[in-house]
Amino acid sequence: MKNFNFQAGTKILFGKNKINELANEVLRHSNRVLITYGQGSVVKSGLLDTIKSKLIEKEIHIEELSGIQPNPRLTSVREGIKICRDKNIGLILAVGGGSIIDASKAIAAGFAYDGDVWDFCTRKATPADALPLGAVLTLSATGSEMNGSAVITNERTQEKLPMGSDLLRPQFSILDPVYTYTVNKWQTAAGTADIMSHLFENYFTPDSGTDLQDGIAEAILKTCIKYGPIAIQEPRNYEARANLMWASSLALNGLTGTGKLIGDWATHTIEHELSAMYDLTHGVGLAILFPYWMKFVLNERNAFKFVRLGKHVFGIEDENPMVAANKTIDAIRDFFVSLGMPSKLSEVDIPDTHFTEMGKKACQFGPIGYFCRLNDAAVTQILEMSK
Amino acid sequence: MKNFNFQAGTKILFGKNKINELANEVLRHSNRVLITYGQGSVVKSGLLDTIKSKLIEKEIHIEELSGIQPNPRLTSVREGIKICRDKNIGLILAVGGGSIIDASKAIAAGFAYDGDVWDFCTRKATPADALPLGAVLTLSATGSEMNGSAVITNERTQEKLPMGSDLLRPQFSILDPVYTYTVNKWQTAAGTADIMSHLFENYFTPDSGTDLQDGIAEAILKTCIKYGPIAIQEPRNYEARANLMWASSLALNGLTGTGKLIGDWATHTIEHELSAMYDLTHGVGLAILFPYWMKFVLNERNAFKFVRLGKHVFGIEDENPMVAANKTIDAIRDFFVSLGMPSKLSEVDIPDTHFTEMGKKACQFGPIGYFCRLNDAAVTQILEMSK
């Protein structure tokens, strides 16, 4: 087990009607709030009105930034920073899924930075301060509600790059599973694949002596495998939505990565190239790519890790480790397909025309992945396998 | 899954030589520190000197409270409160195991309270404010390093009672597994039993829909079962000590209790009666009592929970749920015995003379336990089974 620091201090308010505690949480930080949201689902559901009335009741001043898109754009971030500065905002309240929270984190960091906020993504700067941030989550997927990471898309350069700092962890997040009842089958499946992908990224590392963390990751994976299909079949099943929601937060709040040098994150980096260019739903891209990444990196030296995953999560046993490992990868693919996820890029209309370019962009800061180092040619090869 | 709030904000600094980050962490809170410790092991090991020299180097003023005993006494707590007030202390730094941290929490709460600190244990008051607290952990057992609970013994009344508040969570805890190399076999075994007992308390509840939490608890239990025996056989095995140390914190930081109304905690309450009267090591008392509690409460309606535990943690399968449940309880007893723990109270020289009185004291605030409600007669019966 490697040395680590861990502090996941986000206050989680979980369950039905927790929105009733929102105004008090907001007032711990400020009485001037920027509410950020997306393209209307929180308007249609009435959630935005509920939130606004609860804040107005407590005389909290509200500004709004709407229209934040999936794969959130730098343009929205810049707009948000301007509002926060012009209107003397003291807290950003993100209402939505990971894209809204990610954009809000970038606004929070950009507000407190004199230079261009994109510098955080190009590694020219790291956040030294940030506005406080709260979230009301409406999609179980990214884990952004309990961590300090964000991924922003620069639409001009077609780059999708991560930024992060412990300063950007939300101060509080309201997780009411009922808000995810209206998430459709496709997005529920993509969200489940996203949660599982986060666990894979921290599971497949070269570290040893991390039984505890890997056991916790397996427990969360089993939760996804049990409840993902139930949530798709019965969208208003509270237990299924609740287990997925809490799984989403725990899968990427740092817990399963403790004691490890760093996660692999190659597959996420590759997926970001796809969704930067084609605006693909992140979880869908991951569901397609991950089993191909696994097939590509699997060898006789690292097969034991796939064998462990297969045994503990899918009950797969085989005397031959390579056979057991391949069965595990097939089980993961079968599970994603059973959720309704595609297994090839061609199914989501992504052509093979830019794979070489994507390989180069994915490796712009050097080789990617820690379980297995991948150069640009390897990335291109994985994309070819996925086509 | 029940509604919950969860915020385990303690900053964990985990690993070899993390003590080098101590002074900076301290200075985030104060430059006037009360160091609390026990009966000399941290003096003998040199850890206390190391800590003092690191603080003095940064010109931090130090006061000391030594001699805090296992099952920490109210007298020490009162002494600590007086020092903090007289010497204008801004942070308490607990160096030791759960007893030291628990006493320090009571000092932190008592400092900010005009009445008698024992009021927090008798439920006459709850902490409204507290001094900040840090910890340097030397024993993997109680989880006190990452939660807001403390158990204090009133030596005059022979009462051992809990108190707690989120205000009492340490601001930071330094967890260096190397500090536990010198923990002897007996204390290592008792600590492992203590960690497992905390998991049992939150596992055996009447809640449903908590697959995620129960799966995480099972993963931590498996970690204890794997690494407890290794740490006993090879006291300087870093991976074993590291896994137990992180397991200790995660077992009782609130995580496995999220989404549950409340843990059972009957067995802990009964054990507190034993150790208040006989000054028994807490984990030893729990190792003796827990399997008897399990046998007492097991019935056909709740057997499924024991069956799940047996299957997931010990690989026990049997068509008959009651048979599988009993095999699970036996496996737990066998494991504790394999660690060198006693299985009867008579083995630790506790006579059966006060069982009726203990039953009454354990139920002084009403029946105990939520998985199964126990009145004083039931508690006495469990003690009789354990004799």
Side-chain angles (χ1 to χ4, degrees), chain A residues 75-327:
Chain A
T75 313
S76 293
V77 172
R78 292 198 168 119
E79 200 179 330
I81 293 169
K82 187 170 183 313
I83 299 173
C84 288
R85 287 177 179 165
D86 289 351
K87 302 291 182 179
N88 194 24
I89 294 298
L91 176 94
I92 304 169
L93 181 66
V95 182
S99 298
I100 311 302
I101 305 173
D102 280 14
S104 303
K105 288 176 183 172
I107 295 167
F111 170 86
Y113 177 60
D114 282 339
D116 181 4
V117 64
W118 186 244
D119 290 353
F120 298 130
C121 295
T122 54
R123 305 187 190 184
K124 282 186 196 152
T126 49
D129 195 9
L131 267 183
L133 174 73
V136 179
L137 188 66
T138 61
L139 183 73
S140 305
T142 72
S144 190
E145 64 275 12
M146 205 179 176
N147 67 40
S149 301
V151 182
I152 302 297
T153 294
N154 184 331
E155 58 272 54
R156 192 179 56 75
T157 62
Q158 283 194 326
E159 286 174 296
K160 182 176 175 181
L161 291 173
M163 57 180 286
S165 161
D166 261 346
L167 292 167
L168 304 183
R169 283 195 200 256
Q171 300 293 317
F172 64 87
S173 285
I174 292 183
L175 274 57
D176 184 339
V178 173
Y179 298 156
T180 64
Y181 282 178
T182 52
V183 175
N184 66 28
K185 288 180 195 298
W186 177 258
Q187 290 294 343
T188 301
T192 303
D194 196 12
I195 300 168
M196 293 174 68
S197 299
H198 297 150
L199 295 162
F200 293 148
E201 296 287 19
N202 275 325
Y203 190 88
F204 289 100
T205 72
D207 302 288
S208 61
T210 53
D211 271 78
L212 181 52
Q213 297 84 334
D214 290 336
I216 291 173
E218 288 158 359
I220 307 175
L221 283 167
K222 283 196 280 188
T223 301
C224 294
I225 290 167
K226 175 170 177 178
Y227 287 109
I230 297 174
I232 289 170
Q233 287 309 310
E234 307 166 28
R236 300 171 72 85
N237 183 309
Y238 185 83
E239 293 307 348
R241 294 295 193 179
N243 272 272
L244 288 175
M245 201 166 214
W246 194 208
S248 151
S249 305
L250 294 178
L252 198 58
N253 73 349
L255 178 62
T256 70
T258 56
K260 301 189 165 205
L261 184 64
I262 195 167
D264 185 79
W265 298 106
T267 310
H268 267 73
T269 306
I270 303 171
E271 197 289 324
H272 289 167
E273 293 308 320
L274 287 175
S275 50
M277 195 171 284
Y278 297 103
D279 209 14
L280 180 64
T281 297
H282 179 53
V284 176
L286 291 167
I288 296 172
L289 288 173
F290 236 114
Y292 292 116
W293 172 85
M294 289 176 173
K295 291 269 182 189
F296 184 86
V297 303
L298 170 65
N299 62 41
E300 288 184 358
R301 289 185 311 285
N302 64 31
F304 72 93
K305 201 75 201 241
F306 293 88
V307 173
R308 178 186 161 135
L309 180 73
K311 184 176 171 191
H312 291 178
V313 175
F314 294 97
I316 291 167
E317 310 242 15
D318 196 291
E319 275 182 20
N320 182 324
M322 288 299 280
V323 173
N326 274 299
K327 281 185 182 172

Side-chain angles (χ1 to χ4, degrees), chain B residues 161-177:
Chain B
L161 292 174
M163 57 180 285
S165 161
D166 261 347
L167 293 167
L168 304 183
R169 283 194 200 256
Q171 300 293 317
F172 64 87
S173 285
I174 293 185
L175 275 57
D176 184 340

